[in-house]
Amino acid sequence: MNILKTFSKNKTLPARYSDMTTTEMELRIKEIKKMLGNKLFLPAHHYQKDEVVQFADGTGDSLQLAKISALNKEADFIVFCGVHFMAETADMLSSVNQIVILPDLKAGCSMADMANIHQTERAWDELNKIFGDTILPLTYVNSTAEIKAFCGKNGGATVTSSNAKEMVSWAFEQKERLLFLPDQHLGRNTAYALGIPLQDMAIWDPIKNELIFEGSDIEQIKVILWKGHCSVHEKFTVNQIQDFRQNYSDYKIIVHPECTHEVVSASDLNGSTHYIIETIKHAAKGTKWAVGTEMNLVNRLAQQFSDKKIVSLNPNLCPCLTMNRIDLPHLLWSLENIIDGKLENIIKVDDETKKYAVMALNRMM
Ligand code: 13P
Ligand code: SF4
């Protein structure tokens, strides 16, 4: 579902929540969680605020959240603390009788909204005219259920930042070239890490409906990158890395692969949010880290591992505004709605879309 359709369904948070104190809200959430017990499951992404994460029944990166949502069979309600595409995935992987709720429908993902199904079908027609039946579509999980279904229907799969290399290698066993949606940076960084030179990659511009390729022989193209990006991770720059190297040479730079190729190449390490957490957790005491990812996670790492020095690579920090829409008032509102039997913000993917999107997800899982 695109952001405009989602916004139109969003219910405004009742005013009474602004009059409640943090302690009142926390106590009430604890009370409801106790009341609902195993009937409620509350997964949270690593980018969620601490005020929300404290109540999570499980935290993880996108792949882990997809797995834990698929594994939980006992909860009637999955209150998903993350963004819309993650809640859609949880709905598709959970049982039909389980209800997935997103506390605020405005928690979308600007990257996922950079590829809609009409643009994708149009691109597919054009690319098939140029390359024939030689392309496999792969989509980053940060995409709508419709795009996942498109990939499923056309023999492709989903990928996350923690299995992108395996999935791209798999794709090349199926077809000669691939279309990678919607994040050009993850696609480029992954293909490059697997030994595909930048000259063998082209960009598909969904707005101009054109293929951008600087070489002379299009047969050379192995990877077609959708022109999408994450506006949070694009804020990390090579200049910031150079500043660190010059002024604080004892810092290691670790970034998420949604950062540009230049930033990933200039950094020491890159990987999913789970990889970033594990790397820092297992690093020696006293080590220093400049981290290129969303600020809630960077702040949490700094608090949790106070025996190390952890700062954001960007001195102005980088919040994901949509992830941050899930807060204590919205979480409490969702839980009180469950208790009152008036369910709001249910995320339900239609059966036809789900059938094909699950194919793409299963090929990955
Ligand atoms: P991870 O799968 O690494 O948690 O990434 C999700 C995401 O949206 C990063 O911007
Ligand atoms: Fe989407 Fe970027 Fe936010 Fe991740 S950080 S949810 S990719 S906008």
Side-chain angles (χ1 to χ4, degrees), residues 84 205 230:
H84 194 272
D205 184 334
C230 165

Side-chain angles (χ1 to χ4, degrees), residues 349-362:
V349 177
D350 68 86
D351 288 346
E352 180 71 4
T353 308
K354 179 174 161 179
K355 180 170 121 193
Y356 292 106
V358 166
M359 282 181 184
L361 286 162
N362 282 342

Side-chain angles (χ1 to χ4, degrees), residues 47 83 85-86 108-112 140 142 230-233 258 294 320 322-323:
Y47 290 165
V83 288
F85 73 81
M86 295 176 178
C109 163
S110 54
M111 176 203 284
Y140 190 20
N142 298 33
C230 165
S231 31
V232 176
H233 288 89
E258 286 175 17
E294 208 276 341
C320 172
T322 48
M323 279 275 180

Side-chain angles (χ1 to χ4, degrees), residues 69-70 72-78 91 93-100 348:
S69 305
N72 184 301
K73 297 289 171 225
E74 51 191 358
D76 294 338
F77 305 101
I78 299 176
D91 172 53
L93 296 177
S94 57
S95 314
V96 272
N97 55 334
Q98 292 180 300
I99 294 172
V100 176
K348 186 97 202 112

Side-chain angles (χ1 to χ4, degrees), residues 170-181:
W170 170 83
F172 280 119
E173 285 164 17
Q174 323 299 314
K175 290 273 171 82
E176 219 174 291
R177 42 181 69 87
L178 65 95
L179 168 64
F180 193 98
L181 296 120

Side-chain angles (χ1 to χ4, degrees), residues 235-245 313-315:
K235 298 219 174 63
F236 297 105
T237 65
V238 173
N239 273 349
Q240 292 159 358
I241 297 184
Q242 284 166 348
D243 278 354
F244 260 94
R245 302 267 190 233
L313 176 59
N314 184 333

Side-chain angles (χ1 to χ4, degrees), residues 23 28 62 65 81 102 123 187 211 214 232 246 274 288 304:
T23 316
R28 184 76 182 121
S62 306
L65 291 176
C81 297
L102 184 64
L211 187 68
E214 279 159 16
V232 176
Q246 263 169 23
H274 175 67
K288 297 180 180 178
Q304 268 175 358

